[in-house]
Amino acid sequence: MLPVLQTLVLHRLGLDWNPALHDSLISNLILAFIGFETNLLYRFYQPGKENQMYRMLFGLAMAVFYCYILRFLPGYLLPGNQEYIAFLEASLPVRFVFALMVIFFITLYQWIRSQLTEQKEMERRAAESEQLMKEAELARLRQQLHPHFLFNSLNSINALIGRQPEAARKMTQQLSDFLRGTLKQEDKPVRLQEELDHLRLYLDIEKVRFGARLQIEFVTSPESLGLVLPALLLQPIVENAIKFGLYDVTEVVHIRIRTWQDGEFLCIEIQNPFDPKSEPATRGSGFGLSSVQRRLQLVFARKDLLITTRQENLFTTTLRIPTLK
Amino acid sequence: MKKLILIDDEPLARGLLAEYLSAHPDLEIVAECENGFEGVKAIAQHRPDLVFLDIQMPKINGFEMLELLTECPCVIFTTAFDEYALKAFEANAIDYLLKPFSQDRLNAAIAKWRLQAGKDSVKQELDTFLQTSARSPEEYKRIVVKQGNDIRILPVSEVLYLEAYDDYVKVYTRDQYFLKKKTMNYYEEVLDPSLFFRSHRSFILNIQHLTRIETLEKNSYIGILRNGFQVPISRSHYAQLKERLGL
């Protein structure tokens, strides 16, 4: 298209058909080559922020190069055509500007393209690192090991070995099963039944430690047992309940765990006694509860699924877990 | 016969200690307690030669229990894991046993106690230990005090100000004060600096209860608390207090 147009324009400007055609073909061929090369260059190399001048210098150099070739090449192809050579020299500034513009547009195009790719790449990396962080955080939240619990349990086992070796053996088994469950890597949702089984291991160990002072009551509706929830979600809540129960009250500690189904929600309620007179600032969501809150937020993107209430000397934590996909 | 008291909230832990201790026929366990309140009573009643004391227990912990005693007995601490306590022990330990511990380790602790028993230095060390030990954050939010035979746990928000009083510190609430065998420096260090301010060499006041500051005479100031209590503010601290209050 372009050579034809240029031939017509040149002819109208008073050039013969022959030199006009030659000129158009040759100049466009050279410009196309330069353009192709520029395109190729910027596709694989984008100057850094501090080297932005290179683009301009390269564009200028290419335009000068283009005019230089144009000025001398036709002399060999159409020798002796003085009229054409004079025209060529006169039109060089226009051609220079035209070439500059072509190179400039190609540079701009490749620059925009590279910016877009870079941005997409950055977004992809950001999304990826966010995903990784989320996974790492979930893993950390699931696997909080409690040295205090562990050492005290070992001490209990040590105490049992002398007098009740059978009980010591049983507790060793419970502790191992419990730890293995805690170390589970995958973040698969589990059925409530499995979660409660794991919880019972933990509670049985605590019962050995604290004897008659600790009493646990389960009230579970049969249909709720088949519903699913994120694994090891209840553990920190029950730990919290036991901790506040045992360290806040000197009498028998009664902990009640109630589960039921409410529409598409799995509801779990954990109740423990506490002392309303003791320092209120340390109550509320301890570390255990805030970690549960955080997990629910990561999994369901909601903040309203965990509610705590206090009534006289009872502290109640209620969870509402939406159906997991 | 030497008298021993075991204080631990886990029955099995007490059982194990008793079992280990049966290897020492000259030691008699006169009481087993499952919390600090029982511990205070039993120690007052039996005046034991040695106490085995757990740190983490219901209501008040082992350190707080010791603070309530008028006379400090020899103590061997037993604990499973308490990062704050461990730090304190490393700096000032008399002796402490990390659960689970062996018969040999217990024997070593007893031997150490026998060697030191009767020396005044033991009591002295325990006193300094309680004065300087690093505590868990919950402890900074309450002060455990004794009132006659009752033990009260004061949330720090109820404390209006503290005043130095010989070897003691008077802890003032709205209507009374309690004596604690501590130093002003200790309280200045452990109390939340956003709530409490050392206004004078002998006074720390609760900023939450401060209603106004009056100039008594040139370079002499007085803080008026919500219920009319007056607390002196020294010149050097006045500038700091103004800065704290954003004046």
Side-chain angles (χ1 to χ4, degrees):
Chain A
M1 256 318 269
L2 207 59
V4 175
L5 206 68
Q6 195 177 336
T7 310
L8 289 174
V9 170
L10 290 178
H11 184 66
R12 277 292 298 272
L13 287 173
L15 222 56
D16 282 341
W17 281 112
N18 190 26
L21 190 64
H22 266 88
D23 179 283
S24 301
L25 282 174
I26 292 168
S27 65
N28 279 299
L29 204 69
I30 297 171
L31 192 56
F33 177 72
I34 289 175
F36 174 74
E37 216 192 347
T38 309
N39 190 36
L40 209 65
L41 171 82
Y42 284 133
R43 192 163 172 172
F44 295 108
Y45 166 73
Q46 284 286 334
K49 279 212 166 54
E50 60 282 9
N51 296 334
Q52 292 298 348
M53 279 298 284
Y54 286 6
R55 280 185 229 271
M56 214 182 281
L57 288 176
F58 179 77
L60 277 169
M62 278 295 140
V64 167
F65 177 61
Y66 168 70
C67 291
Y68 184 78
I69 296 178
L70 269 192
R71 171 65 187 79
F72 293 103
L73 204 58
Y76 296 106
L77 293 171
L78 299 162
N81 192 337
Q82 290 305 322
E83 188 200 355
Y84 168 65
I85 289 175
F87 171 81
L88 186 65
E89 276 181 351
S91 66
L92 267 183
V94 179
R95 292 169 195 255
F96 177 77
V97 171
F98 180 68
L100 209 56
M101 274 170 64
V102 169
I103 294 166
F104 171 74
F105 275 117
I106 291 169
T107 309
L108 189 69
Y109 166 74
Q110 283 297 346
W111 180 74
I112 291 173
R113 221 184 68 121
S114 81
Q115 290 293 308
L116 285 177
T117 331
E118 203 174 300
Q119 199 179 341
K120 250 188 225 158
E121 175 68 13
M122 264 169 61
E123 275 167 18
R124 194 185 60 79
R125 261 184 307 194
E128 202 169 277
S129 78
E130 197 179 331
Q131 180 67 24
L132 276 176
M133 268 173 58
K134 198 169 145 181
E135 275 166 25
E137 191 180 1
L138 279 171
R140 195 176 52 76
L141 290 176
R142 265 182 286 122
Q143 298 187 6
Q144 273 142 13
L145 271 183
H146 296 280
H148 195 263
F149 165 75
L150 201 55
F151 287 126
N152 272 315
S153 299
L154 287 172
N155 195 50
S156 299
I157 292 175
N158 198 12
L160 288 170
I161 286 172
R163 284 172 297 174
Q164 303 171 51
E166 277 306 315
R169 195 169 280 175
K170 188 176 162 212
M171 190 166 170
T172 309
Q173 200 54 53
Q174 285 169 328
L175 188 61
S176 319
D177 289 345
F178 171 74
L179 286 178
R180 224 185 303 284
T182 312
L183 291 171
K184 247 189 250 162
Q185 282 298 326
E186 72 268 41
D187 192 27
K188 275 194 306 199
V190 296
R191 294 191 317 128
L192 179 62
Q193 177 72 62
E194 292 169 52
E195 178 77 0
L196 291 182
D197 286 346
H198 179 74
L199 216 50
R200 275 195 192 95
L201 282 172
Y202 168 72
L203 291 170
D204 284 344
I205 295 166
E206 293 290 64
K207 270 197 221 159
V208 175
R209 281 179 58 198
F210 294 101
R213 260 196 80 207
L214 185 61
Q215 285 182 8
I216 317 278
E217 181 192 359
F218 280 95
V219 186
T220 53
S221 82
E223 73 273 10
S224 69
L225 292 176
L227 299 176
V228 294
L229 73 165
L232 303 177
L233 189 69
L234 303 183
Q235 177 73 27
I237 305 178
V238 175
E239 265 170 35
N240 209 54
I242 289 191
K243 193 176 138 207
F244 282 135
L246 286 173
Y247 293 115
D248 231 24
V249 179
T250 47
E251 303 89 56
V252 168
V253 177
H254 187 98
I255 288 171
R256 196 176 71 159
I257 299 168
R258 205 160 69 83
T259 70
W260 71 98
Q261 184 175 7
D262 176 16
E264 53 185 280
F265 287 95
L266 164 60
C267 299
I268 300 157
E269 180 191 272
I270 294 157
Q271 221 167 41
N272 64 276
F274 80 111
D275 182 357
K277 282 201 295 294
S278 62
E279 175 51 34
T282 59
R283 308 292 133 198
S285 50
F287 177 74
L289 289 188
S290 61
S291 85
V292 174
Q293 187 79 271
R294 182 82 187 116
R295 266 192 85 189
L296 286 171
Q297 206 182 324
L298 286 174
V299 177
F300 298 104
R302 282 177 67 168
K303 280 183 173 179
D304 58 343
L305 301 174
L306 183 140
I307 302 159
T308 59
T309 53
R310 48 203 82 197
Q311 199 178 26
E312 287 176 31
N313 62 345
L314 275 184
F315 187 88
T316 310
T317 308
T318 314
L319 279 176
R320 284 168 64 79
I321 298 168
T323 313
L324 272 164
K325 276 140 256 155
Chain B
M1 261 326 215
K2 297 277 187 188
K3 288 186 287 187
L4 263 59
I5 288 181
L6 314 184
I7 307 171
D8 194 313
D9 59 330
E10 295 187 31
L12 280 172
R14 296 196 301 270
L16 182 65
L17 253 178
E19 194 183 319
Y20 281 170
L21 286 168
S22 62
H24 301 263
D26 62 324
L27 305 180
E28 184 198 3
I29 298 167
V30 290
E32 286 191 23
C33 311
E34 61 175 30
N35 58 55
F37 303 122
E38 290 180 18
V40 171
K41 271 188 226 153
I43 290 171
Q45 187 189 337
H46 298 285
R47 309 182 118 261
D49 299 288
L50 176 63
V51 173
F52 282 89
L53 182 61
D54 187 14
I55 309 292
Q56 215 178 53
M57 289 188 297
K59 290 286 208 185
I60 57 172
N61 67 32
F63 296 137
E64 288 169 328
M65 189 207 84
L66 286 177
E67 285 177 27
L68 295 171
L69 301 174
T70 40
E71 207 179 316
C72 217
C74 292
V75 174
I76 294 176
F77 292 101
T78 63
T79 188
F81 180 88
D82 182 331
E83 47 188 315
Y84 303 101
L86 292 188
K87 254 185 255 159
F89 290 139
E90 271 154 27
N92 292 291
I94 297 157
D95 207 354
Y96 61 96
L97 301 169
L98 291 178
K99 296 175 187 170
F101 49 85
S102 65
Q103 173 88 57
D104 289 344
R105 182 66 188 83
L106 176 88
N107 292 347
I110 300 256
K112 200 171 167 190
W113 162 71
R114 286 189 204 277
L115 212 65
Q116 292 187 353
K119 290 184 197 162
D120 279 349
S121 64
V122 181
K123 262 177 220 165
Q124 202 61 48
E125 273 175 44
L126 190 58
D127 266 355
T128 25
F129 172 66
L130 286 174
Q131 290 282 354
T132 55
S133 61
R135 301 305 181 78
S136 61
E138 303 96 73
E139 274 185 64
Y140 304 152
K141 296 191 173 128
R142 62 186 191 215
I143 296 177
V144 179
V145 292
K146 208 171 171 186
Q147 185 178 26
N149 283 327
D150 290 341
I151 292 160
R152 279 188 54 182
I153 299 165
L154 293 179
V156 291
S157 57
E158 284 179 23
V159 174
L160 294 176
Y161 71 98
L162 299 96
E163 182 186 358
Y165 185 76
D166 285 344
D167 285 350
Y168 292 83
V169 171
K170 279 182 176 174
V171 179
Y172 281 86
T173 62
R174 192 167 289 276
D175 40 23
Q176 58 191 326
Y177 70 83
F178 303 93
L179 283 176
K180 291 289 288 182
K181 202 169 179 348
K182 289 272 185 194
T183 62
M184 292 302 278
N185 286 340
Y186 169 81
Y187 280 119
E188 189 185 8
E189 200 173 307
V190 302
L191 290 171
D192 183 353
S194 66
L195 296 176
F196 287 88
F197 180 76
R198 178 92 177 248
S199 65
H200 184 276
R201 201 165 47 86
S202 308
F203 289 91
I204 294 175
L205 62 84
N206 187 336
I207 297 173
Q208 234 84 30
H209 290 285
L210 185 66
T211 54
R212 64 180 195 277
I213 299 170
E214 282 181 4
T215 313
L216 205 61
E217 49 197 65
K218 198 170 174 248
N219 287 336
S220 163
Y221 304 93
I222 277 213
I224 314 285
L225 300 182
R226 198 159 284 158
N227 63 344
F229 279 153
Q230 300 188 338
V231 181
I233 301 168
S234 68
R235 192 161 55 107
S236 56
H237 292 104
Y238 178 66
Q240 287 174 35
L241 182 61
K242 264 181 31 177
E243 199 175 310
R244 172 77 60 79
L245 298 171
L247 287 172

